Amino acid sequence: MCGLKIDRPLECIVSDMTAFYLEGKYFELTLYMDLRNNEILTYALSDKRGDRETYVKGLNDLIEIKKEHPDLQMILHTDQGSVYSSKSFNELLPSYNIIHSMSRAGTPTDNSTIESINGWIKTEMFMDFHLTTIEKIHDEIKDYIVFFNEKRPAYSLNYLTPKKYKEGF
């Protein structure tokens, strides 16, 4: 993946999609997370199965962040899903000094951080945030991402939030 030692923000970004049902409707949530401090940098939500736009929107938002640091070499680590493997997705990355790293086929442990976060997010959204209605889902996902980045302490960050860790305490 990105290596064991990550020295700076935006050095290694991990991404994955997770799916869930709400009121019998299917949703896909794609996350792009900075592995340095587990901050969710960008995300996209869709109510269409296999919607490539969630990946593309998240990537476009990540590219906007990357444009602020054009000389920084970034690694984007993903699984081998069809969108991440697509020619158009991969042709875009080098233009922005982004190197694409992919997990080995059938090996989710190669992207274990984001896989773990996907599980936590679904549990917390439904059990702690009581996500129950599709009318407010976009606002509730946005609120959850703010909570995750700014209020939820993480064991792996010495019980700091991603934001506090990024700020250097």
Side-chain angles (χ1 to χ4, degrees):
M1 187 173 46
C2 296
L4 299 175
K5 188 167 176 10
I6 299 169
D7 296 320
R8 62 190 188 287
L10 304 175
E11 183 175 5
C12 184
I13 307 304
V14 292
S15 181
D16 196 16
M17 181 276 295
T18 190
F20 59 90
Y21 285 92
L22 182 62
E23 294 183 343
K25 189 167 181 113
Y26 179 85
F27 289 92
E28 291 182 354
L29 177 64
T30 301
L31 304 171
Y32 287 81
M33 185 179 83
D34 190 333
L35 202 54
R36 171 104 173 30
N37 67 330
N38 293 350
E39 177 183 12
I40 298 171
L41 299 171
T42 69
Y43 68 94
L45 180 70
S46 176
D47 61 359
K48 297 179 188 103
R49 188 178 297 269
D51 187 357
R52 300 173 60 86
E53 289 306 308
T54 61
Y55 297 89
V56 173
K57 181 193 178 307
L59 179 60
N60 286 336
D61 292 346
L62 180 64
I63 286 170
E64 288 305 309
I65 294 168
K66 178 67 174 75
K67 284 179 181 177
E68 298 171 17
H69 311 277
D71 296 331
L72 172 73
Q73 187 175 55
M74 176 187 285
I75 296 170
L76 173 60
H77 185 77
T78 68
D79 60 20
Q80 293 187 27
S82 61
V83 174
Y84 294 131
S85 299
S86 72
K87 182 178 179 190
S88 59
F89 189 94
N90 284 283
E91 285 179 345
L92 184 61
L93 300 178
S95 304
Y96 297 97
N97 200 18
I98 300 173
I99 297 169
H100 194 191
S101 166
M102 294 174 73
S103 301
R104 295 168 291 165
T107 313
T109 53
D110 284 355
N111 208 2
S112 59
T113 302
I114 195 75
E115 294 285 353
S116 176
I117 296 298
N118 280 342
W120 278 108
I121 283 176
K122 286 195 282 192
T123 299
E124 290 177 345
M125 281 190 319
F126 288 100
M127 299 197 65
D128 297 338
F129 276 71
H130 308 291
L131 188 61
T132 57
T133 176
I134 60 174
E135 286 81 26
K136 296 182 181 180
I137 190 164
H138 290 280
D139 291 335
E140 289 176 341
I141 296 289
K142 182 179 177 180
D143 291 346
Y144 178 79
I145 300 297
V146 169
F147 164 77
F148 185 90
N149 286 335
E150 299 179 12
K151 297 178 181 158
R152 181 186 183 273
Y155 172 78
S156 64
L157 302 175
N158 295 319
Y159 294 102
L160 296 172
T161 66
K163 182 179 179 182
K164 287 285 186 197
Y165 190 85
K166 181 179 180 180
E167 292 170 353
F169 319 131

